[in-house]
Amino acid sequence: MTRPEPRSAAYAAGPPTLADVAELAHVSRQTVSNALNNPDLLRPDTLERVQAAIAALGYTPNRAARNLRTRASHLIGMRFTPAQEGTANATMDRFVHSLVEASREAGYHVLLFAGHGGDALEGYDDLLRSTAVDAFVVTDTYLGNPQATWLEERGAPFVAFGRPWDQPEATHPWVDVDGAAGARMATEHLLAAGHERVAWIGWRKDSTIGEDRRSGWSGAMRDAGLPTTGLASRVEDTVASGAQAAAVLLDEARPSGFVCASDTLAMGVLHALGERGLAPGRDVAVVGFDDSQVAQVIPGGLTSVRQPLEQVAVEIVTALSGLLSHPPAPGPNTLLAPTLALRGTA
Amino acid sequence: MTRPEPRSAAYAAGPPTLADVAELAHVSRQTVSNALNNPDLLRPDTLERVQAAIAALGYTPNRAARNLRTRASHLIGMRFTPAQEGTANATMDRFVHSLVEASREAGYHVLLFAGHGGDALEGYDDLLRSTAVDAFVVTDTYLGNPQATWLEERGAPFVAFGRPWDQPEATHPWVDVDGAAGARMATEHLLAAGHERVAWIGWRKDSTIGEDRRSGWSGAMRDAGLPTTGLASRVEDTVASGAQAAAVLLDEARPSGFVCASDTLAMGVLHALGERGLAPGRDVAVVGFDDSQVAQVIPGGLTSVRQPLEQVAVEIVTALSGLLSHPPAPGPNTLLAPTLALRGTA
DNA sequence: GTGAAAGCGCTAACAA
DNA sequence: TTGTTAGCGCTTTCAC
């Protein structure tokens, strides 16, 4: 004890420390620490006295000191990429909030960092080497990016939102949403409503996640004994591309319904329908993907596949907790089923 | 120096420490520290040798240790509230990313926390007392919430996104967007296009921010010598409310244009127009507020007032840096002008 | 310009 | 059950 006089809350030059609590409760610093971390070790009356002192001073352990000692920050790092302008993609907002909430319940906070221009890895490297975070949540695995591999090589704990499509040798934990099941659900919904010519507008072939969703559509069509030839289009994820693809399909294949890989593409379809005076939902059915705000607020609403992001976040934090426990207890990877948000277009 | 043998990067049991670098460069630990924090103090050749060692080991200072010593975390805390489902409000996503980016340039990271159910203050209190963050960014001042006052009482450094409308005695730094100027800009745009009966659909009167925006509309109308009687409506921020308000106004006041306090309300107007077979932009002009994804992707696009969130973030971080420097240098509060994103509806 | 010593606030190991 | 000792990795005096 080097500090000459203890600081009361009223005269605090800074937040109270363990020593202040100890002095007030007439115990040693270690006993206060135990009261916090191993309350079972204390005699009930001592514990009570210490807790009273803690409450009286409004004491909360200093994070930096605790982090230094325990070699843990209780921080989860995540690279935050904003929704692209001009698209309807908006899963991030919902996911981040879910992650923050789920992390809190597990005693963690979420630290955001940006991809430093070209080098996405730099942010990870910095945080890792400075031991600023305990683990990462990697969200953009679908880009075929090297982050997962890179982190795995370094033995950095992380959980991916998204399966390691391109890395069959990957062994890291992941949580994902079954996109194929989502597209199948959407397609079967249209088939059940009597549609027979259901078209697909998806992403370019190099998008594994897009191909996965597409397989849900083609599988459902095949299972129903319906042809798919000429009914599919692979384009960029923009409204204009969706509109253009829809126009071509309407001319050449006369579909009565569209299932799309994204709400952005679905908006393109609505655009194309509008230009032909066709009413979405009545003349032609449309289903999007992601249940974005756009799907929710456009007149009539856009039927869309909704990812259970809250559940994804919970599973990710569970996996993370397992990973960070001693000894590490990697849980099973989980594949969650999406739901279909029914609205006016289907 | 208690560690028996230095750890090379190859045999690292953990990340290298200052001592490892010192040993490799044949200098003392303090010299390495100086090389990092006060390079001017070193002789060029020593500096070079130390830097080589740092690079060789891939050394990055341990955050927890540095934080403990310097009593700073280089973390900025922010309460993250997700966009409400069923609305078009989506400023958070863009703002958070801008903040992360601006913070990075100033050497900070962003730590997110959730409002613990009812008690929004709890999250702030925890982080503050555990000295987990250096400062806060407070975004939801418009709710008339007590956070700003609460933080100010405790002398906690923070910058608000939003003026302290309800607290005239507040002296904390803030950055805001001039909502009145935005609504005025939108209104004047319609007036310049020949509209004379421009209606306003805004929020309830207890929303100061809503009243501010409304004043931009009414001011522009007054300046143009036009009447506003019967041309305004105050409703809840939902699509349904917007649609209902638009329907009433169309029946009773025959406006040729609408300016709305949000894109959500503007979508309601589009809804109402659609039901009457009126074409947005051609028959009736509509302007929203926030330039959400919805505004960007609906067929034809929704003209909307766009907040300069990137700039807001930069100003906030600037203010924060001033606040956290020694001695604190509070900058001037800044009020930024929005722009008008012109699209099909106006 | 460089090195030695001290200590930030906490917790792990051990002693009493 | 409680207290003592040591030290996490870093930076800040202060000698040299």
Side-chain angles (χ1 to χ4, degrees), chain A residues 45-330:
Chain A
D45 61 322
T46 314
L47 178 59
E48 195 171 337
R49 207 167 68 243
V50 173
Q51 286 175 334
I54 288 174
L57 294 176
Y59 170 74
T60 306
N62 179 295
R63 287 266 188 167
R66 172 174 277 182
N67 292 350
L68 177 58
R69 189 62 240 234
T70 61
R71 302 172 165 285
S73 65
H74 286 266
L75 250 35
I76 294 174
M78 183 179 138
R79 198 166 101 89
F80 187 78
T81 47
Q84 217 182 330
E85 300 265 325
T87 70
N89 311 332
T91 49
M92 264 303 181
D93 188 273
R94 239 178 86 213
F95 175 65
V96 170
H97 182 261
S98 304
L99 185 67
V100 169
E101 189 62 45
S103 299
R104 185 184 61 70
E105 284 166 17
Y108 287 88
H109 282 281
V110 173
L111 180 145
L112 256 34
F113 63 101
H116 183 56
D119 195 353
L121 261 31
E122 192 175 316
Y124 289 97
D125 198 27
D126 263 6
L127 293 169
L128 201 54
R129 293 196 312 194
S130 61
T131 61
V133 300
D134 291 347
F136 292 100
V137 172
V138 178
T139 56
D140 36 10
T141 56
Y142 53 84
L143 295 171
N145 66 23
Q147 298 163 17
T149 311
W150 189 91
L151 287 169
E152 208 165 2
E153 277 170 4
R154 268 156 196 73
F158 74 102
V159 177
F161 177 7
R163 281 159 280 181
W165 294 103
D166 308 326
Q167 293 108 0
E169 73 285 2
T171 58
H172 65 260
W174 54 261
V175 176
D176 205 356
V177 175
D178 193 341
R184 172 177 283 272
M185 195 182 318
T187 307
E188 288 176 345
H189 177 72
L190 295 191
L191 297 180
H195 293 270
E196 295 197 337
R197 296 191 63 72
V198 177
W200 169 260
I201 302 183
W203 299 322
R204 297 200 178 285
K205 208 158 189 169
D206 53 3
S207 163
T208 39
I209 197 168
E211 289 305 291
D212 179 49
R213 292 183 184 179
R214 186 183 196 279
S215 74
W217 162 77
S218 58
M221 293 294 278
R222 189 180 54 241
D223 290 355
L226 295 168
T228 56
T229 317
L231 276 171
S233 187
R234 288 189 178 92
V235 298
E236 269 187 79
D237 191 38
T238 67
V239 175
S241 302
Q244 199 177 334
V248 172
L249 285 166
L250 284 168
D251 283 341
E252 299 183 353
R254 305 244 156 245
S256 67
F258 286 89
V259 177
C260 303
S262 74
D263 279 355
T264 305
L265 292 173
M267 288 309 296
V269 175
L270 295 189
H271 200 126
L273 294 181
E275 287 191 334
R276 285 153 197 254
L278 293 169
R282 204 189 57 214
D283 300 329
V284 177
V286 184
V287 184
F289 212 110
D290 268 357
D291 196 28
S292 60
Q293 291 190 314
V294 177
Q296 297 174 20
V297 305
I298 62 165
L302 169 67
T303 295
S304 189
V305 177
R306 182 181 173 93
Q307 302 197 45
L309 299 179
E310 296 78 7
Q311 210 182 333
V312 170
V314 169
E315 293 291 342
I316 285 181
V317 172
T318 302
L320 232 29
S321 299
L323 219 55
L324 295 174
S325 62
H326 302 288

Side-chain angles (χ1 to χ4, degrees), chain B residues 28 30-31 41-43 46 68-69 71:
Chain B
S28 73
Q30 300 63 27
T31 302
L41 294 180
L42 298 206
R43 223 173 32 212
T46 314
L68 177 58
R69 190 63 239 237
R71 301 172 168 287

Side-chain angles (χ1 to χ4, degrees), chain B residues 27-304:
Chain B
V27 293
S28 73
R29 307 211 313 272
Q30 300 63 27
T31 302
V32 180
S33 178
N34 283 336
L36 254 33
N37 304 310
N38 301 87
D40 306 340
L41 294 180
L42 298 206
R43 223 173 32 212
D45 60 323
T46 314
L47 179 59
E48 196 172 334
R49 208 168 66 245
V50 173
Q51 286 174 334
I54 288 174
L57 294 176
Y59 169 75
T60 305
N62 178 296
R63 287 267 189 167
R66 171 173 278 183
N67 292 350
L68 177 58
R69 190 63 239 237
T70 60
R71 301 172 168 287
S73 65
H74 286 265
L75 250 36
I76 294 174
M78 183 179 137
R79 199 165 100 92
F80 187 77
T81 48
Q84 217 182 332
E85 300 265 325
T87 71
N89 312 331
T91 49
M92 263 303 182
D93 189 272
R94 238 178 87 214
F95 175 66
V96 170
H97 181 261
S98 304
L99 185 66
V100 169
E101 190 61 46
S103 299
R104 186 184 60 72
E105 284 166 17
Y108 287 88
H109 282 281
V110 174
L111 180 146
L112 255 34
F113 63 100
H116 183 54
D119 195 353
L121 261 30
E122 192 175 316
Y124 288 97
D125 198 27
D126 263 6
L127 293 169
L128 200 54
R129 292 197 312 193
S130 61
T131 61
V133 300
D134 291 347
F136 292 100
V137 171
V138 177
T139 56
D140 36 10
T141 56
Y142 53 84
L143 294 171
N145 67 22
Q147 296 164 17
T149 311
W150 189 90
L151 287 169
E152 208 165 1
E153 277 170 5
R154 268 156 196 73
F158 74 102
V159 177
F161 177 7
R163 281 160 279 182
W165 295 103
D166 307 327
Q167 294 107 1
E169 73 285 3
T171 58
H172 65 261
W174 53 261
V175 176
D176 205 356
V177 175
D178 193 341
R184 172 177 284 272
M185 194 183 317
T187 308
E188 288 176 346
H189 177 72
L190 295 191
L191 297 180
H195 293 270
E196 296 197 336
R197 295 191 65 71
V198 177
W200 169 259
I201 302 183
W203 299 323
R204 296 201 178 286
K205 207 157 190 170
D206 52 4
S207 162
T208 38
I209 197 168
E211 289 305 291
D212 180 49
R213 292 183 183 179
R214 186 185 197 279
S215 74
W217 162 77
S218 58
M221 294 293 278
R222 191 182 51 240
D223 289 355
L226 296 168
T228 56
T229 317
L231 275 171
S233 189
R234 289 189 177 92
V235 298
E236 268 187 79
D237 192 38
T238 67
V239 175
S241 302
Q244 200 177 336
V248 172
L249 285 167
L250 284 168
D251 284 340
E252 301 184 351
R254 305 244 155 243
S256 67
F258 287 88
V259 176
C260 303
S262 74
D263 280 355
T264 305
L265 293 173
M267 287 309 295
V269 175
L270 295 190
H271 200 127
L273 294 181
E275 287 192 334
R276 285 154 198 251
L278 293 170
R282 205 190 56 215
D283 301 328
V284 177
V286 184
V287 184
F289 211 109
D290 269 357
D291 196 28
S292 61
Q293 292 190 314
V294 177
Q296 297 174 20
V297 305
I298 62 165
L302 169 68
T303 294
S304 190

